[in-house]
């Protein structure tokens, strides 16, 4: 992986700019620009921002290089798209669960079971044989 100094030099030469011209734009000496490019010194964060502005580039291009900065943009766009899709899927799942009453069941029924320490499930058998008949023909139409 190339260094910041090599990236500065690459961006500067790609714009047909001398060290003196870059130094004038940044209000530093030509020796400072030379020290950055030869890796004898590193610019601080504020200076990196000014260098990027002077070279009409982004700070990521100065730090990581041109190809890596483009890759970072592509990766950021991809993750933003994936995150958006995940949010939409979760919203759809929530809407479906809410419409079928599962969220209410969790809110009012299951929550009691999980947080009440005295809650217990029991089973009892009633003596004898019992049956239950349901007439569902008039279901939902009110009293008959």
């Amino acid at each position: 992986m190339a260094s910041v100094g090599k990236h500065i030099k690459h961006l500067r030469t790609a714009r047909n700019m001398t060290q003196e011209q870059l130094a004038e734009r940044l209000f530093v000496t030509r020796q400072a620009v030379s020290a950055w490019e030869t890796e004898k010194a590193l610019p601080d964060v504020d200076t990196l921002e000014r260098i990027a502005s002077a070279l009409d580039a982004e700070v990521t291009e100065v730090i990581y290089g041109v190809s890596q900065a483009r890759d970072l943009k592509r990766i950021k766009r991809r993750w933003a798209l994936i995150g958006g899709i995940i949010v939409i899927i979760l919203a759809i799942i929530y809407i479906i669960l809410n419409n079928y009453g599962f969220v209410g069941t969790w809110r009012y029924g299951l929550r009691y079971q999980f947080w009440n320490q005295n809650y217990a499930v029991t089973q009892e058998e009633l003596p004898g044989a019992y049956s239950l008949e349901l007439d569902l023909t008039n279901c939902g139409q009110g009293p008959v």
Side-chain angles (χ1 to χ4, degrees), residues 12-31:
R12 179 183 58 78
T13 55
R15 286 151 179 78
N16 297 322
M17 191 182 297
T18 64
Q19 286 183 349
E20 187 68 37
Q21 291 169 332
L22 180 59
E24 287 174 7
R25 285 189 179 187
L26 299 173
F27 303 106
V28 296
T29 63
R30 184 200 59 77
Q31 289 81 6

Side-chain angles (χ1 to χ4, degrees), residues 44-131:
D44 60 8
V45 176
D46 294 333
T47 308
L48 280 173
E49 291 175 354
R50 291 189 355 233
I51 291 169
S53 176
L55 295 173
D56 295 323
E58 293 186 18
V59 177
T60 54
E61 289 179 273
V62 176
I63 296 172
Y64 300 111
V66 177
S67 63
Q68 287 88 358
R70 290 184 188 143
D71 288 344
L72 287 175
K73 285 181 186 178
R74 184 175 48 84
I75 290 169
K76 285 180 183 179
R77 278 193 306 259
R78 181 181 294 161
W79 277 106
L81 178 65
I82 290 170
I85 291 170
I86 289 172
V87 166
I88 290 170
I89 290 171
L90 290 175
I92 290 170
I93 290 171
Y94 177 79
I95 290 169
I96 291 170
L97 291 176
N98 194 29
N99 284 343
Y100 285 103
F102 291 121
V103 174
T105 302
W106 170 259
R107 189 177 303 141
Y108 301 114
L110 295 177
R111 183 171 57 177
Y112 176 77
Q113 295 176 19
F114 287 124
W115 283 286
N116 185 353
Q117 296 179 1
N118 296 327
Y119 181 81
V121 176
T122 60
Q123 177 181 353
E124 291 184 29
E125 289 189 29
L126 297 175
Y130 297 96
S131 65

